[in-house]
Amino acid sequence: QVQLVESGGGLVQAGGSLRLSCAASGRTFSNYLMAWFRQTPAKEREFVAAITWCENWTYFADSVKGRFTISRDKAPVTVYLQMNTLKPEDTAIYYCAARYGGIWYNSKDYDYWGRGTQVTVSS
């Protein structure tokens, strides 16, 4: 049974930093794309960042480029989202997701999801 468990969310002031973690288990993730999405009540779930498991290629939404980085450890299987220079508009529930294959920005094409972790950025 595949599990993705997010942690590291919280309340931070604008300009601050947080690091989110996603602990993945239940299968091997070779040839998988690991990604972070976020969602607020007013918006659909949107792509934030992704990393390919084997090549370590990374992808970012324009809104977070230069501020967020994504990385992964192989043992234990963990994906990180380092978020710097946070803005109030980064406030959302952040979800970890995985899909077999290459980069895909649409949340509907992911195979596995975590339950999310809340990030709140105060102004």
Side-chain angles (χ1 to χ4, degrees), residues 1-4 25 27-35 37 45 96-102 104 106-114:
Q1 173 184 355
V2 174
Q3 281 193 312
L4 303 179
S25 61
R27 65 160 304 123
T28 58
F29 288 92
S30 300
N31 298 314
Y32 269 72
L33 180 79
M34 309 298 291
F37 284 77
R45 197 166 292 192
C96 180
R99 73 179 296 270
Y100 184 82
W104 203 257
N106 190 325
S107 65
K108 293 178 174 59
D109 293 296
Y110 281 73
D111 303 309
Y112 306 108
W113 289 90

Side-chain angles (χ1 to χ4, degrees), residues 33-34 50-60 70 72:
L33 180 79
M34 309 298 291
I51 186 168
T52 60
W53 194 257
C54 291
E55 301 88 353
N56 218 21
W57 295 335
T58 59
Y59 306 85
F60 297 94
I70 187 170
R72 57 103 176 96

Side-chain angles (χ1 to χ4, degrees), residues 19-99:
R19 188 174 83 154
L20 305 184
S21 298
C22 171
S25 61
R27 65 160 304 123
T28 58
F29 288 92
S30 300
N31 298 314
Y32 269 72
L33 180 79
M34 309 298 291
W36 289 93
F37 284 77
R38 66 186 181 187
Q39 188 169 20
T40 66
K43 288 185 178 181
E44 290 187 354
R45 197 166 292 192
E46 66 173 359
F47 173 83
V48 176
I51 186 168
T52 60
W53 194 257
C54 291
E55 301 88 353
N56 218 21
W57 295 335
T58 59
Y59 306 85
F60 297 94
D62 288 343
S63 58
V64 306
K65 274 181 187 172
R67 300 189 298 123
F68 291 10
T69 59
I70 187 170
S71 60
R72 57 103 176 96
D73 283 339
K74 291 189 175 181
V77 176
T78 309
V79 181
Y80 303 99
L81 184 69
Q82 177 67 43
M83 306 185 295
N84 299 325
T85 319
L86 282 160
K87 304 175 180 180
E89 51 264 44
D90 294 318
T91 296
I93 298 175
Y94 283 71
Y95 297 91
C96 180
R99 73 179 296 270

